[in-house]
Amino acid sequence: MLDFMDHVQNAFYTSTNWNVDNGYTRLNSSAQSILDFRTPRGLRFHLSSLSTPNFATSYSLGSISVIDGSLSYLYSTLPLSSPKSADVDLRLLSPGYRQHHPWKYPSPTRDDALMYGRMFLPSGTLEALYLKRLGATKQVRVTAVSDSKLKHGGTILAMLQQDTGKWSSEYLYSTDVALLGWRGLWNFGEADPRPEGDKPVGRFSGGAEVYYGVLNKSAGMSTGLRYTTLPQHPGIPLTMTLTLNPLMGHWTATYAVKVGEKAAFASRFEFNMFSYESDIVMGAELWRSKGEEGMEGVLKAKMTQNGSLGLLWEGRLKELLFSIGGAVDFRRGEGMVKVLGVEIAYSS
Amino acid sequence: MAFNFNWSPLSATSTSSTAFYDHAKSLLTAALNKSSKPPIIVDDILVDDLNLGASAPDLEILEIGDIAEDRFRGIFRMSYRGDACLTLRTKVQANPLNTYLSTASSITSPGPLAANSPLTIPVQITLSQFKLSGFVILVFSKAKGITLVFRNDPLESLKVSSTFDSIPFIADYLQKEIERQVRRLFQEDLPVAVHRLSLRLWNPEYAASLGDEATAPAKPLQTGESEKEDADEDAENDDQYFNPLLSASEREESSSQFSQKNLLKLSSLMDAQNTLSLDTPKIADVVFRAWASGVAHNATMWDKPGALDAPLAGESRSYAFSENGDAIETQSIASSRPSLSTTPSRCNIPTTPSRRKKKHRVVDLRKRRTEPTKTPLSSEPSSSESTPLASAASSECAVEEGYCERPPAPIRRVREDSIDYDPTEIRPSLRPTVPITLIRPSSPTDSTATEDITYPPRGPPTTASKPIPADKEKAHLRQQESWRESPKIRMPPGAPGGILEQAILSKIMAEIQRTLEEERIKRGSVDGKWGVERELENLCGQEELPAYRAI
């Protein structure tokens, strides 16, 4: 389940017409959200509220080993809609299969900004985020963390994002190891409002990323390709991706398919051609609806090659949102349950 | 001067070395995996191969600061040009971005899509062509183990070959990193490891503290208490008696009850006495019998906890009436004659060859008697008629004939067969001296120490006589009387030399004690102690005041 603040940020992106999905890091987001869901650990409560349309607060309290918690504040120059836990669409909070649409040119927007800070207790770690739109196609995103345990006391990551619809690119710099990075995505095909003719049923996208750590003189890169069906596709929606890390010889192939409104399946196969190591993960998400009002809950499950099973059940109980999950390893006799957790959230 | 090492048993072909290498490998593997590893290492580090090579290191003695059987301090020059090699095997994460992201905070993570894909590579690293040269400071003591320190960085050069030899960047990095680690190993880890290992070998108390020695003594014996302990223990229980000269099997049986350190010292003392050597090894914190009386307060004697629970009246655990009566007797004498220990030249005159028996380590202050009269020990007070003669004789013989054939020896149990005089005959002559038992309760609140004292037939507690030292005969007679009356205070009628002073001291102590007791009786309350006395008790423990013992 998405954090309240993540949800508010998504609302900000939506309000400012920023297409988060049009980026290289979201190339295989469909498979990722089905396979790499986060399972809660321990008991955790979230209490959030959008006090004014521009200001939000959130508190969380958890108990994994010791009582720990965090308090966060968010300010947006753009008034945001209030995501109450009683009536928010669960699909926004628990993203699953991602339906892509034909790309379109960005529409002009205001230069809005968002600021967010979070303090973790009792560790004293401080997180901060600054988000600023620069015209119709650009956005600056700066994140920082301050923690005495980290090297140099903290890290700042600055990112310039550019999205023209047809293509997108991101330039980033991290103060940790002086990491420089670039990543880009290219969408093949025509823009959405086609003047005439039949609409496309699918779309290819290709991209790449390159990183270089100045201080540790290490580099990293990958390249990827995606095919996804568009809403006009007559058959079942599906997304296929193939990524390659040429330095490490690592291939990753994902396949995600949406079967009807309530079910989606995904699989991921990884192979390293240098070490001959391989891995396969399969997962599914099953939605449960309640009449016409939308979705009531979702069950996510994944199974890995080494026999471990991850389960997550998220839903709404009255005005509370809950998330129950755990990981089970069948190969271990006793102590099969490795992780178990419950999260309860209320927001107004 | 240099050493000649016998290195051949360590060559890989020898069968005896297989076990050694297996053990060394497992130790090394455990040591390498114990500490937290850097995130780049994603698997356990295994020691694949270990070979110390065919040639030994050269050690040259530069200086010896101190040398003895149980301690050593010296400086060496060590150089090694051998063919030892070590092969390690592990798995490393070859993707630096993966390693970096595993430690980075999530909010500032650049969030790459696939650039951080993992690639674990099995790595084999071989260290060979060690070139070492350095100054080694070695300090050895049996109590404190071996301290080995490199005065400088001993590593001259080292060849690192690995899976990454074809990639110069990684090879250089590995070479540098491993050299740094090996330097640290020599200068920090190795001294610590050697010290711990030596402590484990030589110091059973340390080993016991590690919890790996189930048979360790329940209460660690202190240095210097061993003699007392031994004498104490054998009076209590013959099975627990330990003699360093017993057979090996016997020794093994009882060795678990004693500190190894003390046993070593005792056996070296024994060895010294089996020769004509005039030199007695010094044992730290030990009070020899000959010195004992003056420092009676300081001598400590730990009792076994179990023994204190059941003190026996007839067979006191502290030198009481048992087959060890002789040992008790002689011990008392020795402690009462400190001044004689300053004339060791007399010690070399053996009066009887039979006294050279190994087990006989008793200081004998008396002239031997020829007419033994077998009187039971318990009836010895009745033989007071022989006292005048005996006391006179004792005052002479101690000076004229010498008191022992050995240097001052620690108190040991003495077997009956090793004593060639009749105890009952000599005993009256000893009475004039003040036998001071060195009794200290195992805890300040424990009062059993004085309960252990065996008293002669009790009489009403009257004031002790105060003999004038000059008037030996008279004083002695009076002392004999008072000895029957008072269980606690008996003064000697006088003794030659330092014994006199000693007696006066003891007397004063007794007088103080008596006065205090009287005062207490006057006040009619047991708790009504004088402030000074209470302070004394607080300081020394309840029963710390010298307790005089009847025999």
Side-chain angles (χ1 to χ4, degrees):
Chain A
M1 188 178 289
L2 275 186
D3 201 63
F4 175 77
M5 290 302 179
D6 291 334
H7 181 56
V8 173
Q9 281 171 52
N10 281 345
F12 178 82
Y13 288 134
T14 312
S15 305
T16 56
N17 297 317
W18 182 262
N19 186 7
V20 181
D21 285 326
N22 199 24
Y24 179 72
T25 51
R26 305 295 289 260
L27 192 76
N28 52 12
S29 58
S30 287
Q32 258 177 358
S33 51
I34 297 174
L35 300 174
D36 299 335
F37 55 84
R38 187 180 60 88
T39 46
R41 296 174 70 94
L43 189 62
R44 190 163 284 275
F45 298 98
H46 302 277
L47 187 63
S48 322
S49 111
L50 193 69
S51 352
T52 73
N54 298 89
F55 189 72
T57 54
S58 178
Y59 308 94
S60 76
L61 196 68
S63 66
I64 295 176
S65 54
V66 292
I67 300 287
D68 65 322
S70 72
L71 46 144
S72 38
Y73 299 96
L74 183 143
Y75 175 75
S76 161
T77 57
L78 183 73
L80 303 168
S81 62
S82 169
K84 286 188 169 55
S85 57
D87 52 6
V88 68
D89 185 3
L90 281 181
R91 284 183 184 273
L92 294 174
L93 287 179
S94 186
Y97 182 85
R98 206 84 189 156
Q99 178 63 63
H100 288 275
H101 299 275
W103 63 269
K104 53 188 177 188
Y105 291 103
S107 48
T109 179
R110 296 197 311 162
D111 290 354
D112 283 305
L114 180 143
M115 280 162 283
Y116 159 73
R118 186 177 191 182
M119 167 81 98
F120 289 88
L121 295 170
S123 64
T125 307
L126 195 65
E127 286 181 358
L129 164 75
Y130 177 71
L131 206 59
K132 169 98 173 134
R133 278 297 291 268
L134 301 171
T137 59
K138 289 195 188 68
Q139 181 176 265
V140 168
R141 183 187 161 95
V142 180
T143 52
V145 64
S146 167
D147 188 343
S148 57
K149 288 196 284 289
L150 291 174
K151 209 162 49 176
H152 311 304
T155 310
I156 298 172
L157 174 76
M159 200 187 299
L160 175 67
Q161 298 169 305
Q162 193 175 10
D163 180 13
T164 63
K166 178 75 177 170
W167 56 268
S168 81
S169 69
E170 291 173 328
Y171 307 87
L172 61 90
Y173 173 76
S174 170
T175 57
D176 197 8
V177 302
L179 187 79
L180 293 165
W182 173 86
R183 48 197 180 211
L185 182 75
W186 181 269
N187 290 312
F188 297 94
E190 300 290 319
D192 184 28
R194 282 170 72 113
E196 77 280 338
D198 50 325
K199 303 226 174 203
V201 295
R203 187 180 77 199
F204 274 101
S205 305
E209 62 181 348
V210 180
Y211 302 95
Y212 180 70
V214 178
L215 294 184
N216 62 2
K217 295 185 178 61
S218 62
M221 71 167 295
S222 79
T223 179
L225 193 67
R226 172 179 69 194
Y227 174 77
T228 184
T229 57
L230 296 174
Q232 287 74 29
H233 183 66
I236 53 172
L238 61 89
T239 304
M240 292 181 287
T241 65
L242 181 69
T243 56
L244 166 69
N245 184 330
L247 295 178
M248 299 297 137
H250 197 83
W251 290 92
T252 308
T254 69
Y255 181 77
V257 59
K258 189 174 185 184
V259 188
E261 275 299 302
K262 294 178 186 172
F265 299 92
S267 65
R268 180 173 60 211
F269 177 68
E270 290 176 78
F271 175 69
N272 194 299
M273 59 185 186
F274 295 160
S275 67
Y276 301 113
E277 282 178 310
S278 65
D279 189 25
I280 189 166
V281 188
M282 286 178 288
E285 61 166 358
L286 302 166
W287 286 89
R288 185 175 172 217
S289 62
K290 194 175 78 178
E292 298 298 311
E293 298 167 16
M295 294 303 168
E296 192 197 17
V298 61
L299 176 73
K300 289 185 180 185
K302 69 169 174 183
M303 185 120 186
T304 63
Q305 189 188 22
N306 56 25
S308 75
L309 179 72
L311 287 169
L312 179 70
W313 179 34
E314 294 181 324
R316 179 164 32 220
L317 192 71
K318 308 248 185 220
E319 293 192 349
L320 295 176
L321 298 168
F322 66 86
S323 172
I324 301 170
V328 181
D329 195 340
F330 288 112
R331 290 191 310 178
R332 296 159 66 181
E334 66 277 11
M336 282 204 313
V337 178
K338 288 194 293 187
V339 183
L340 195 65
V342 179
E343 277 187 30
I344 295 167
Y346 174 79
S347 62
S348 63
Chain B
M1 192 177 163
F3 289 92
N4 186 17
F5 286 105
N6 184 12
W7 206 253
S8 55
L10 292 176
S11 67
T13 50
S14 147
T15 48
S16 66
S17 67
T18 317
F20 165 76
Y21 276 119
D22 284 346
H23 183 59
K25 273 188 214 174
S26 63
L27 276 180
L28 201 56
T29 305
L32 287 169
N33 290 300
K34 198 165 61 180
S35 56
S36 63
K37 294 186 283 286
I40 195 169
I41 294 172
V42 293
D43 200 5
D44 286 346
I45 303 172
L46 297 171
V47 178
D48 236 14
D49 188 30
L50 175 67
N51 193 344
L52 290 179
S55 56
D58 293 323
L59 264 189
E60 188 187 337
I61 299 175
L62 295 180
E63 184 189 319
I64 292 178
D66 185 12
I67 189 163
E69 212 169 302
D70 59 344
R71 63 186 188 273
F72 177 81
R73 190 174 74 235
I75 301 175
F76 303 87
R77 186 211 301 275
M78 186 202 70
S79 65
Y80 181 72
R81 294 280 185 280
D83 50 353
C85 68
L86 170 68
T87 305
L88 303 172
R89 187 157 50 89
T90 188
K91 280 182 183 170
V92 295
Q93 176 58 257
N95 191 345
L97 207 61
N98 185 290
T99 315
Y100 157 62
L101 287 178
S102 66
T103 57
S105 172
S106 64
I107 192 167
T108 52
S109 161
L113 178 71
N116 60 341
S117 320
L119 172 61
T120 54
I121 298 179
V123 176
Q124 189 163 325
I125 299 172
T126 304
L127 315 181
S128 58
Q129 297 179 16
F130 289 92
K131 285 192 171 54
L132 306 175
S133 167
F135 295 97
V136 185
I137 300 169
L138 178 74
V139 181
F140 165 70
S141 107
K142 265 178 183 164
K144 291 173 182 165
I146 295 177
T147 310
L148 184 146
V149 181
F150 284 94
R151 205 167 162 184
N152 61 336
D153 176 16
L155 184 68
E156 275 187 353
S157 71
L158 161 74
K159 188 190 173 197
V160 177
S161 48
S162 71
T163 321
F164 298 111
D165 275 355
S166 54
I167 310 167
F169 167 70
I170 299 177
D172 285 353
Y173 170 79
L174 279 175
Q175 175 84 39
K176 251 187 271 176
E177 186 67 17
I178 287 169
E179 278 188 14
R180 199 173 59 85
Q181 293 285 340
V182 171
R183 289 202 164 90
R184 205 195 50 148
L185 181 84
F186 273 114
Q187 293 183 295
E188 290 172 29
D189 296 351
L190 188 68
V192 172
V194 167
H195 184 66
R196 288 203 180 136
L197 195 69
S198 67
L199 279 185
R200 197 177 295 194
L201 282 177
W202 281 298
N203 194 334
E205 290 160 28
Y206 176 81
S209 74
L210 288 178
D212 56 0
E213 204 179 85
T215 56
K219 188 183 287 178
L221 304 179
Q222 308 281 318
T223 317
E225 291 164 12
S226 56
E227 287 86 0
K228 292 278 166 220
E229 179 78 26
D230 291 354
D232 198 35
E233 292 226 348
D234 70 31
E236 175 190 55
N237 187 351
D238 265 5
D239 294 336
Q240 293 175 357
Y241 171 67
F242 173 74
N243 187 330
L245 296 174
L246 290 177
S247 69
S249 60
E250 284 172 280
R251 184 183 303 210
E252 269 175 24
E253 208 174 67
S254 53
S255 63
S256 63
Q257 297 162 14
F258 298 96
S259 157
Q260 193 68 29
K261 192 169 68 188
N262 290 334
L263 293 182
L264 283 166
K265 283 183 180 174
L266 285 177
S267 68
S268 68
L269 187 71
M270 273 308 240
D271 292 340
Q273 295 188 353
N274 287 336
T275 66
L276 288 174
S277 165
L278 297 180
D279 184 40
T280 306
K282 284 199 173 62
I283 300 181
D285 304 327
V286 164
V287 179
F288 286 95
R289 258 191 288 183
W291 319 336
S293 63
V295 287
H297 284 76
N298 300 330
T300 56
M301 182 167 65
W302 287 98
D303 292 327
K304 285 195 119 188
L308 286 169
D309 297 331
L312 299 174
E315 189 185 23
S316 165
R317 55 190 311 284
S318 50
Y319 330 106
F321 309 110
S322 67
E323 59 162 353
N324 308 316
D326 298 325
I328 295 151
E329 186 82 19
T330 49
Q331 188 244 336
S332 308
I333 293 159
S335 61
S336 67
R337 299 200 174 190
S339 60
L340 293 182
S341 65
T342 57
T343 58
S345 58
R346 291 171 181 268
C347 297
N348 295 326
I349 309 160
T351 50
T352 319
S354 67
R355 289 192 187 177
R356 285 212 165 272
K357 279 182 185 175
K358 283 175 184 175
K359 289 166 189 168
H360 184 181
R361 297 211 274 144
V362 173
V363 181
D364 184 5
L365 298 172
R366 295 153 301 261
K367 194 184 253 179
R368 288 194 63 220
R369 301 291 161 145
T370 44
E371 63 288 346
T373 52
K374 302 273 177 187
T375 316
L377 293 176
S378 55
S379 66
E380 37 175 24
S382 65
S383 62
S384 60
E385 62 270 22
S386 67
T387 307
L389 174 67
S391 85
S394 75
S395 61
E396 285 166 21
C397 75
V399 183
E400 290 170 14
E401 201 169 327
Y403 62 96
C404 71
E405 79 280 18
R406 286 167 207 276
I411 299 151
R412 304 288 309 176
R413 176 200 173 182
V414 180
R415 295 275 164 94
E416 294 243 325
D417 56 353
S418 66
I419 312 290
D420 39 1
Y421 55 84
D422 188 9
T424 54
E425 185 196 357
I426 300 160
R427 203 166 290 256
S429 71
L430 303 171
R431 201 151 293 132
T433 62
V434 184
I436 297 173
T437 46
L438 313 176
I439 295 174
R440 186 199 189 112
S442 58
S443 71
T445 52
D446 199 337
S447 63
T448 47
T450 43
E451 288 167 20
D452 278 350
I453 299 167
T454 43
Y455 297 120
R458 288 179 185 265
T462 54
T463 46
S465 62
K466 296 173 206 167
I468 303 148
D471 190 359
K472 292 177 193 171
E473 294 285 328
K474 239 186 183 178
H476 186 70
L477 280 170
R478 283 165 69 185
Q479 200 274 333
Q480 285 302 308
E481 283 172 18
S482 69
W483 184 75
R484 289 201 191 92
E485 291 165 358
S486 164
K488 268 201 163 178
I489 299 153
R490 291 170 308 285
M491 294 311 299
I499 294 172
L500 200 94
E501 298 158 18
Q502 196 55 46
I504 292 168
L505 270 176
S506 313
K507 203 173 72 182
I508 293 167
M509 292 298 285
E511 193 60 32
I512 294 168
Q513 193 186 349
R514 191 181 53 82
T515 321
L516 286 170
E517 210 159 86
E518 276 176 6
E519 272 303 320
R520 202 184 300 148
I521 290 161
K522 264 188 207 166
R523 291 165 66 154
S525 130
V526 185
D527 292 320
K529 292 174 182 173
W530 291 94
V532 178
E533 196 189 2
R534 224 176 284 127
E535 263 176 42
L536 262 174
E537 284 179 354
N538 288 341
L539 274 173
C540 320
Q542 286 288 323
E543 308 294 338
E544 189 67 6
L545 291 171
Y548 300 105
R549 224 182 99 257
I551 296 174

